[in-house]
Amino acid sequence: MSDIADRVRKIVVEHLNVDADKVTEKASFIDDLGADSLDQVELVMAFEEEFSVEIPDDAAESIQTFGDAVSFLEKAVK
Amino acid sequence: MKLRRVVVTGLGIVSPLGANVETVWKNILDGKSGAKKVDEFDVSDLACQIACRIPLGDTADGHFNPDDWMDVKEQRKVDPFIVYAMAAAGQALQDSGFEAKTDEQKERAGVLIGSGIGGVGGIYDASITLAEKGPRRISPFFIPGRLINLASGYVSIRHGLKGPNHSVVTACSTGAHAIGDAARLIALDDADVMVAGGAESPVNRLSLAGFAACRALSTGFNDDPQRASRPYDKDRDGFVMGEGAGTVILEEYEHAKARGAKIYGEVVGYGLSGDAHHITAPAEDGNGGYRSMQAAIKRAGLDVSDIDYVNAHGTSTPLGDEIELGAVTRLMGDHAKNVTMSSTKSAVGHLLGAAGAVEAIFSVLAMRDNMAPPTINLDNPSVETEIDLVPNKAKAKEINVALSNSFGFGGTNASLVFKKLN
């Protein structure tokens, strides 16, 4: 796992209060990790803060799983 | 339409003298004070540097552990007043033994919890975030976590209560208005059960600065916090802020009887009035408080001579205490010499929007135990009075009827009358 993935996982664990081993590549924030739509907005904000990037609203909507977040951020941070 | 009878069947509290009813009540009767120097943030430039703080720790020791009452993930999203409300409501429901299971039970049970100033701490923090980092850093939970009615919202969601969902914002009368209004909803057949009360988390730099600017806070006891809240004493110089929540379970009498509930007493009277005088100062003739008490006693179908105990608003401000005392004295007339009246704000401080609710609880407990709680720090009364102000030591006395007063900024007054069931 990349450094980015570790940082994303840490944010997800903190914000959603879930066990780290539940945060798998295919894990959906809403369906598997107990987030609601507001949690998801806050998660995206936390990613923006952590990685100093801006995630536009349409891109944010496409980030549904842990894997989506990691792959988006790996591209964005380069 | 005939009004239905409303009784109290559960109590819950989080306060500076403990986080469950029996712990708080014992500390109050023992004459303890919850005041301390604030050390969680910088107070060096504030006129008032003290407050009554909730003791954090294990629930089993009577201290407050928020994790026992609200999911950690949810706590992060809200101001503490909502967490306190969740704890007080959870305790009160446990105490009552009532649980809404069927659809009908759920739809006939509601929540009415208010707050005086709600999520001021969170608004303060978010303002700084906005100024320093811009609007994209404002959390989606900023609004729902600060709104005053979200205390009622969270409690309803947690316990599945789908009846009336309401809130009150009347400054320091909030808790009393919430209980009075909730009792009316039951009396008028809009609900069978209501979780009612108030919650407040005002201890932050912004609120301390704001209330001090109103000249409402004690400023002369920063090095001796436990002596600062001293209603009726000649050395009083303002109130001491407190934090916490109080909730009661109100229930229609036949509903409570049918399920064999423990009944603390009946809500027999509720009176409201406005001063129409000044935004922060009470009217000097005390007429507003006089009329709210009079209305509550009339609604109860009682006479002033039936009042055994008054839990005073008594905040320890130079003006307010004597005005209230004067109003009670005039209202009671010849009965004044038999009246016992104390201010529990001397012990827990002024819980603002939660004050009326925790004081309603103390009034109910005074009836249960036939014990009038003391007004601590009352060493030298500033005026002579026939009324027994219970200085420093709790007093055993048969208490069948208790009246609780709450008066708020804006000139808003509420009085509640509780009566033992025969």
Side-chain angles (χ1 to χ4, degrees):
Chain A
M1 272 291 180
S2 66
D3 164 57
I4 286 177
D6 286 342
R7 287 157 70 192
V8 171
R9 180 177 286 109
K10 188 158 173 278
I11 289 169
V12 173
V13 166
E14 272 172 18
H15 280 258
L16 302 181
N17 198 33
V18 291
D19 292 335
D21 57 16
K22 295 252 168 65
V23 187
T24 57
E25 176 156 4
K26 293 251 185 302
S28 155
F29 297 128
I30 288 179
D31 296 336
D32 301 316
L33 300 176
D36 62 22
S37 59
L38 296 182
D39 288 317
Q40 196 153 359
V41 172
E42 201 183 44
L43 269 182
V44 169
M45 285 173 54
F47 299 151
E48 289 185 323
E49 175 112 32
E50 171 71 18
F51 295 98
S52 304
V53 295
E54 197 163 303
I55 305 176
D57 286 352
D58 54 345
E61 275 166 31
S62 71
I63 300 176
Q64 297 291 325
T65 65
F66 173 67
D68 294 342
V70 173
S71 59
F72 178 90
L73 288 163
E74 278 175 341
K75 277 180 221 137
V77 169
K78 260 177 204 162
Chain B
M1 165 175 197
K2 193 176 179 309
L3 293 178
R4 308 195 304 163
R5 294 175 71 184
V6 181
V7 293
V8 179
T9 57
L11 307 175
I13 194 167
V14 177
S15 90
L17 283 176
N20 68 58
V21 169
E22 299 310 329
T23 300
V24 180
W25 185 233
K26 181 176 186 307
N27 283 332
I28 293 234
L29 292 181
D30 287 348
K32 299 252 174 71
S33 163
K36 63 190 269 293
K37 186 110 175 175
V38 174
D39 56 11
E40 294 82 359
F41 51 87
D42 180 27
V43 292
S44 58
D45 56 350
L46 296 173
C48 174
Q49 307 177 348
I50 59 175
C52 293
R53 307 305 308 269
I54 294 169
L56 300 175
D58 284 345
T59 300
D61 300 332
H63 297 155
F64 183 54
N65 180 356
D67 300 354
D68 289 343
W69 304 104
M70 196 172 189
D71 190 78
V72 176
K73 175 184 145 210
E74 296 300 316
Q75 285 177 44
R76 257 192 333 103
K77 301 173 182 172
V78 303
D79 259 49
F81 78 97
I82 293 177
V83 186
Y84 304 155
M86 287 287 277
Q91 289 173 26
L93 281 163
Q94 270 174 15
D95 183 38
S96 75
F98 174 75
E99 201 181 331
K101 287 182 187 145
T102 66
D103 285 347
E104 199 202 338
Q105 284 172 335
K106 289 177 179 174
E107 289 166 11
R108 297 286 298 171
V111 190
L112 207 172
I113 298 173
S115 180
I117 54 177
V120 167
I123 293 170
Y124 169 58
D125 292 339
S127 303
I128 292 170
T129 301
L130 180 66
E132 290 181 348
K133 297 182 175 174
R136 289 184 63 86
R137 287 291 171 271
I138 298 299
S139 163
F141 300 108
F142 167 60
I143 295 292
R146 308 318 125 198
L147 290 179
I148 281 173
N149 72 297
L150 264 279
S152 292
Y154 268 100
V155 168
S156 72
I157 293 165
R158 168 72 181 78
H159 298 284
L161 309 177
K162 299 184 176 180
N165 197 273
H166 197 1
S167 191
V168 169
V169 182
T170 49
C172 306
S173 297
T174 297
H177 276 136
I179 290 171
D181 289 352
R184 289 213 170 148
L185 288 172
I186 295 172
L188 292 169
D189 202 14
D190 292 301
D192 294 327
V193 177
M194 291 294 295
V195 181
E200 203 75 71
S201 50
V203 185
N204 54 64
R205 279 176 60 76
L206 184 58
S207 303
L208 282 167
F211 278 101
C214 294
R215 301 290 183 269
L217 295 178
S218 169
T219 56
F221 293 86
N222 286 336
D223 296 319
D224 199 0
Q226 305 221 327
R227 293 182 60 239
S229 187
R230 43 193 318 114
Y232 316 111
D233 188 86
K234 68 175 179 49
D235 293 328
R236 70 184 183 277
D237 69 342
F239 76 76
V240 178
M241 207 182 258
E243 59 186 356
T247 66
V248 298
I249 305 304
L250 301 177
E251 195 166 343
E252 192 270 323
Y253 174 58
E254 296 297 336
H255 187 277
K257 222 168 57 171
R259 67 180 187 90
K262 161 185 65 188
I263 295 176
Y264 286 96
E266 184 169 355
V267 186
V268 288
Y270 173 40
L272 311 82
S273 74
D275 281 355
H277 171 69
H278 186 267
I279 53 170
T280 60
E284 282 179 19
D285 60 6
N287 178 258
Y290 182 97
R291 286 183 292 112
S292 74
M293 287 187 274
Q294 191 177 46
I297 293 167
K298 181 184 169 197
R299 171 65 67 188
L302 296 172
D303 183 78
V304 291
S305 62
D306 294 314
I307 306 296
D308 300 308
Y309 171 68
V310 179
N311 188 294
H313 182 59
T315 57
S316 188
T317 53
L319 267 183
D321 291 5
E322 282 174 31
I323 292 174
E324 180 185 16
L325 184 57
V328 173
T329 305
R330 283 195 302 286
L331 181 68
M332 294 297 160
D334 292 342
H335 179 60
K337 60 184 183 301
N338 306 319
V339 171
T340 302
M341 168 163 122
S342 60
S343 169
T344 43
K345 288 189 180 82
S346 59
V348 291
H350 189 352
L351 275 70
L352 307 177
V358 301
E359 289 159 20
I361 291 171
F362 300 149
S363 300
V364 165
L365 293 170
M367 289 198 309
R368 182 193 70 178
D369 294 349
N370 293 306
M371 284 296 286
T375 303
I376 66 168
N377 295 317
L378 177 49
D379 301 328
N380 301 294
S382 61
V383 284
E384 280 192 29
T385 173
E386 289 182 296
I387 293 175
D388 179 3
L389 297 172
V390 205
N392 296 311
K393 273 207 152 34
K395 181 184 169 183
K397 175 189 180 178
E398 188 174 338
I399 299 174
N400 294 310
V401 178
L403 180 148
S404 183
N405 278 337
S406 296
F407 310 140
F409 278 4
T412 174
N413 312 299
S415 300
L416 293 165
V417 179
F418 299 94
K419 186 169 179 283
K420 266 182 198 163
L421 273 192
N422 294 328

